[in-house]
Amino acid sequence: MPFKHPLRAVLEQVTATTCPKRFNFHCHTLCSDGSLTPEALADEAVKIGLEHFAVTDHHSLEAYPLVQKRLDYHRSAGSNVPKLWTGTEVSCVLENCLVHVLALGYEPNHGAMEPYLQGDTVVGEQLGAAAVVEAIQASNGLALLAHPARYRINFKLLMRAAAELGFDGAETWYDYEMQPRWRPSEHVCERVADLAMDLNFLQSCGTDSHGLSLLGR
């Protein structure tokens, strides 16, 4: 029986309104270019009442055990805590364009992901989108194209190319205006979501937080 990733059932619940209070699958800490410590980010997640989230530092999983440890502390103190999934934002080349891929729910110690967890963009053949997706899926993770409408190439071309390479989905609900308080960019996101449905893509959402709050950019 083929492996059915448990995160799939969560992503199938994603809508325009599930972020930032229920789900957040795109945020950053001081372990890459964010402003929060992993512990402070965990505190924010508990305070907001998130149900599921992933920290997606660039080319790093350093924050993951620190966030999990802080969540365990909150749980032991009697608080409800969200489910933390592994996550990393990986750069790659798709259609001759440098794009970002959200690697979600992968096995943290799997060797296939090791080249992409060294704190910087890889070079050579490993930079290709096909190689990145292969590594993510080999480690039992899901590969989703991050913020498809933020690149110099039209999102339709990129998403279709991603589908041909076997991507699992795309980040459909995103704040392209990068407002202090997150709100999906209505018309753009709806078009991205419609195409995601046509491509049978999983959909994700996230604030892409780099500041001191998980409620906005």
Side-chain angles (χ1 to χ4, degrees), residues 5-155:
H5 201 292
L7 182 54
R8 283 184 173 271
V10 179
L11 294 179
E12 287 168 356
Q13 302 174 49
V14 167
T15 69
T17 62
T18 46
C19 185
K21 294 295 185 71
R22 288 186 62 200
F23 303 156
N24 193 340
F25 296 105
H26 194 169
C27 55
H28 300 274
T29 73
L30 286 170
C31 294
S32 65
D33 56 349
S35 302
L36 289 169
T37 65
E39 293 80 7
L41 188 145
D43 293 345
E44 273 274 303
V46 172
K47 179 181 177 182
I48 291 168
L50 282 174
E51 298 174 22
H52 295 267
F53 78 117
V55 179
T56 52
D57 283 320
H58 296 273
H59 298 276
S60 174
L61 195 61
E62 184 181 351
Y64 176 75
L66 302 175
V67 174
Q68 188 61 67
K69 182 178 180 180
R70 186 67 173 176
L71 292 176
D72 291 342
Y73 164 78
H74 283 292
R75 183 183 290 107
S76 67
S79 298
N80 292 324
V81 302
K83 165 67 176 177
L84 175 66
W85 300 87
T86 54
T88 302
E89 189 168 10
V90 179
S91 299
C92 71
V93 173
L94 176 67
E95 292 294 297
N96 295 314
C97 179
L98 188 66
V99 302
H100 294 166
V101 180
L102 297 175
L104 300 176
Y106 62 88
E107 295 177 14
N109 298 314
H110 199 289
M113 281 295 293
E114 185 177 356
Y116 302 101
L117 301 176
Q118 304 304 312
D120 205 354
T121 305
V122 299
V123 296
E125 292 184 2
Q126 290 179 319
L127 185 59
V132 171
V133 172
E134 182 180 356
I136 294 169
Q137 294 176 345
S139 61
N140 289 324
L142 300 174
L144 288 85
L145 180 64
H147 39 63
R150 264 190 76 181
Y151 307 109
R152 61 177 178 81
I153 292 181
N154 186 277
F155 73 88

Side-chain angles (χ1 to χ4, degrees), residues 172-176 182-194 203:
T172 53
W173 304 104
Y174 188 82
D175 186 351
Y176 289 97
W182 188 89
R183 183 180 65 195
S185 301
E186 185 175 358
H187 299 297
V188 175
C189 291
E190 288 174 355
R191 291 166 63 200
V192 172
D194 286 344
Q203 300 185 32

